[in-house]
Amino acid sequence: MKSFRETYESLKKGQRDATIAAKANLHKSTLSRIKNEVIPPKRDYLWSLAMALELTMDETDELFSSCGLCMASQYHLTDLEKEREDIIKECISAGKYSVVELDIRLYEAGYQPLGNKGTK
């Protein structure tokens, strides 16, 4: 099994890390720490990266698996968290990759947005 870094590098399709971080609504330092496996990625960060990298659902599953997580496994999530992730999956499946537009949709539905920009 490939490491997160190897998987990320193969999926980023030549994009610069700074561009990906901006599209994912993540601080560059957060992406760097995740990429260098200093911190384990949160599910939200993986969803943000999947959106920024414009991944298919299969590629998103590969990204999750590289961290030892299962994208489809929601057994430990609350019903609200499952509903929130269903909205995210719907956007990815439909090829709607704007994290900003997704965040607006999540906010309007009463859910926490993706990414970590704007947080303390």
Side-chain angles (χ1 to χ4, degrees):
M1 182 204 263
K2 291 194 281 185
S3 70
F4 173 80
R5 184 185 188 109
E6 291 170 325
T7 303
Y8 168 77
E9 291 295 333
S10 71
L11 294 172
K12 74 180 202 177
K13 303 166 188 152
Q15 295 181 77
R16 294 178 47 238
D17 287 343
T19 303
I20 294 167
K23 287 172 65 176
N25 200 27
L26 293 172
H27 293 288
K28 289 186 284 185
S29 62
T30 301
L31 177 56
S32 176
R33 290 191 315 247
I34 294 169
K35 182 176 132 179
N36 293 313
E37 299 177 4
V38 174
I39 61 169
K42 297 177 182 179
R43 287 180 72 89
D44 275 7
Y45 296 167
L46 294 174
W47 287 121
S48 291
L49 288 171
M51 297 285 290
L53 295 168
E54 299 184 3
L55 302 182
T56 65
M57 290 302 287
D58 287 340
E59 290 169 329
T60 302
D61 192 41
E62 181 182 349
L63 187 68
F64 270 74
S65 295
S66 72
C67 301
L69 299 172
C70 181
M71 175 189 71
S73 176
Q74 297 180 331
Y75 69 91
H76 66 286
L77 301 177
T78 66
D79 288 342
L80 289 176
E81 290 169 328
K82 289 176 188 175
E83 290 171 14
R84 181 176 175 267
E85 287 201 359
D86 286 345
I87 292 170
I88 299 167
K89 289 177 187 177
E90 183 182 304
C91 288
I92 291 173
S93 294
K96 297 179 181 179
Y97 295 112
S98 170
V99 173
V100 172
E101 288 179 24
L102 172 61
D103 281 350
I104 291 168
R105 185 170 171 196
L106 291 171
Y107 177 80
E108 288 174 347
Y111 299 114
Q112 182 73 25
L114 291 178
N116 69 349
K117 282 194 172 179
T119 61
K120 295 183 180 188

